[in-house]
Amino acid sequence: MFFEVSNLNHSFNLSGEDPFSSLDQEWGEGSEEKLSRTGHTVVSVFLGSILIFGFFNNLIVLVLFCKFKTLRTPVNMLLLNISVSDMLVCVFGTTLSFASSIRGRWLVGKQGCMWYGFINSCFGIVSLISLAVLSYDRYSTLTVYNKQVTDYRKPLLAVGGSWLYSLMWTVPPLLGWSSYGLEGAGTSCSVTWTARSPQSISYIICLFIFCLAVPVLVMVYCYGRLLYAVKQVGKIRKTAARKREYHILFMVITTVVCYLLCWIPYGVVAMLATFGRPGTVSPIASVVPSILAKSSTVFNPLIYILMNKQFYGCFLKLFHCKQRSSANGPFSLQSRTTVIQLNRRVYNNTVDGTVQINTADEDREGTPPMKVKSNPPEMNP
């Protein structure tokens, strides 16, 4: 991802030979290995593990959606979108880089490289944008009072918007604004980070801002506000809310840390390759961030699905695992929530600015809702 590659702009020779064939031969047989045979073997082991676990983790998610109708809620459409994009990365992207790492060279030529760079960038950005939209959805669920009405319009618009947004940033390299080329050890492809033309640099800056920095800021802001609101509730109600606060704290920290661990190194090293001196980033330093970014396909299902009590309950049912009996009889998906559902309602006729907060557990147990002092301007952030 971060090294100079051979010039892709070969012209047709006088004999009429297809330049793609000579370029394919140059990449496939004449390219210099940037990693040793042992290095390629180690990379192939990691990529193979990511391919296997990423594929089956996301496959389980898709099976759960197909088998359990109760999971087909509007908000879960975003989770489904993340799993679909991660599954496509495993099938169409990781498989090629895994096979190339085994052979120690890129196997499918220039057109295959452009295809690989495009689909991996497209599916990766879809996943990133979906994660950011999901964080905003959780934040808005906390701060805005919503009636229990099933509405698929907004989630489906968000899903469609994530794909259109991704295409808006991944098609331009195919049309001449930057390009896709070999990266790292020469066994995978991405945006040509080391290109020094003004067009390429401007594209990389825009890509970094709108496809990495903005999603990170949205996630940090939304989860930060969510965690702050949960801590405020925990100060008032020391029992169930306190227990839920620690659950939310663990989930938020895990989400943000894994997101940053997977994608920030990739972005930082890409910036070093773009604006630093040639050769600043070694082959090993270029491969590690790429592997971390691909590993998000493994972690996303674990964080966003298995930490969700609805999905976890269905997961146990799918594999016929023993479940704890509840006081209300069989396992109830509707009585559990992924996060604390703090539906905040602002009363227009209140004078002291109190806010009524209803939590799922307190309402189910018959406990009256609590009132929290809050400033009116913060009701609609």
Side-chain angles (χ1 to χ4, degrees):
M1 92 188 102
F2 315 113
F3 288 85
E4 293 288 352
V5 298
S6 302
N7 183 17
L8 303 185
N9 298 320
H10 291 252
S11 60
F12 287 94
N13 54 37
L14 297 178
S15 62
E17 181 183 356
D18 186 358
F20 290 143
S21 62
S22 61
L23 185 59
D24 291 349
Q25 183 178 3
E26 177 186 352
W27 280 3
E29 298 178 1
S31 60
E32 178 184 358
E33 286 195 359
K34 298 177 181 179
L35 286 181
S36 64
R37 181 64 264 174
T38 302
H40 282 297
T41 301
V42 173
V43 171
S44 64
V45 170
F46 278 103
L47 290 177
S49 301
I50 292 173
L51 174 61
I52 294 173
F53 289 105
F55 178 83
F56 283 104
N57 285 355
N58 288 285
L59 179 63
I60 290 174
V61 173
L62 299 180
V63 171
L64 290 176
F65 268 101
C66 295
K67 186 174 179 61
F68 298 97
K69 292 183 179 180
T70 186
L71 296 178
R72 302 170 197 171
T73 61
V75 66
N76 287 343
M77 293 298 101
L78 292 171
L79 298 175
L80 178 62
N81 191 46
I82 294 172
S83 291
V84 169
S85 63
D86 288 345
M87 173 73 78
L88 293 175
V89 168
C90 291
V91 173
F92 295 105
T94 310
T95 51
L96 285 177
S97 57
F98 172 65
S100 297
S101 295
I102 292 177
R103 297 293 300 273
R105 61 183 178 86
W106 183 248
L107 299 177
V108 291
K110 176 184 177 180
Q111 291 181 322
C113 183
M114 296 178 64
W115 162 256
Y116 178 97
F118 168 70
I119 62 172
N120 273 271
S121 299
C122 181
F123 299 150
I125 293 175
V126 167
S127 181
L128 289 176
I129 298 302
S130 297
L131 294 178
V133 173
L134 182 62
S135 67
Y136 176 78
D137 180 82
R138 287 174 170 172
Y139 165 71
S140 62
T141 300
L142 169 70
T143 56
V144 179
Y145 176 76
N146 296 313
K147 296 181 179 180
Q148 299 297 325
V149 178
T150 302
D151 183 11
Y152 288 90
R153 183 178 59 181
K154 290 184 178 180
L156 291 178
L157 287 176
V159 169
S162 67
W163 286 92
L164 291 177
Y165 188 86
S166 179
L167 290 173
M168 182 179 70
W169 290 108
T170 54
V171 169
L174 300 176
L175 303 178
W177 190 20
S178 188
S179 61
Y180 295 113
L182 287 174
E183 64 172 0
T187 55
S188 60
C189 299
S190 183
V191 177
T192 52
W193 305 109
T194 53
R196 302 289 178 168
S197 64
Q199 295 86 352
S200 180
I201 292 177
S202 63
Y203 172 78
I204 290 173
I205 292 175
C206 292
L207 190 69
F208 181 84
I209 293 175
F210 295 103
C211 296
L212 182 61
V214 170
V216 168
L217 293 177
V218 170
M219 288 186 64
V220 171
Y221 173 79
C222 293
Y223 282 134
R225 290 295 301 270
L226 186 150
L227 184 59
Y228 173 78
V230 172
K231 290 180 70 66
Q232 293 298 106
V233 174
K235 292 179 181 179
I236 298 174
R237 190 175 293 272
K238 301 293 184 180
T239 55
R242 175 66 69 179
K243 182 178 179 181
R244 288 296 186 91
E245 176 188 345
Y246 288 122
H247 175 75
I248 294 296
L249 177 63
F250 176 77
M251 186 188 67
V252 168
I253 292 178
T254 303
T255 299
V256 175
V257 168
C258 287
Y259 183 94
L260 297 179
L261 181 64
C262 289
W263 290 105
I264 292 301
Y266 192 96
V268 170
V269 178
M271 291 295 101
L272 289 177
T274 302
F275 299 102
R277 294 180 179 179
T280 301
V281 184
S282 65
I284 295 179
S286 69
V287 170
V288 172
S290 179
I291 293 177
L292 287 176
K294 290 180 174 63
S295 68
S296 64
T297 60
V298 178
F299 295 129
N300 285 340
L302 297 178
I303 296 174
Y304 289 89
I305 303 300
L306 296 184
M307 291 181 64
N308 183 314
K309 291 186 177 181
Q310 283 187 331
F311 281 91
Y312 185 68
C314 292
F315 176 82
L316 295 179
K317 285 186 176 182
L318 179 65
F319 292 96
H320 305 287
C321 298
K322 184 178 180 180
Q323 303 178 40
R324 293 178 298 178
S325 61
S326 61
N328 295 329
F331 177 80
S332 175
L333 295 174
Q334 296 180 351
S335 64
R336 299 293 184 180
T337 54
T338 306
V339 298
I340 298 181
Q341 302 296 327
L342 302 176
N343 296 322
R344 193 191 312 185
R345 181 185 302 178
V346 181
Y347 293 97
N348 296 327
N349 58 350
T350 57
V351 179
D352 56 353
T354 60
V355 180
Q356 178 172 321
I357 298 179
N358 298 319
T359 63
D361 284 348
E362 280 78 8
D363 289 345
R364 181 165 51 85
E365 295 171 0
T367 306
M370 53 187 144
K371 292 185 178 181
V372 182
K373 289 285 184 177
S374 178
N375 296 326
E378 298 181 354
M379 293 302 97
N380 296 299

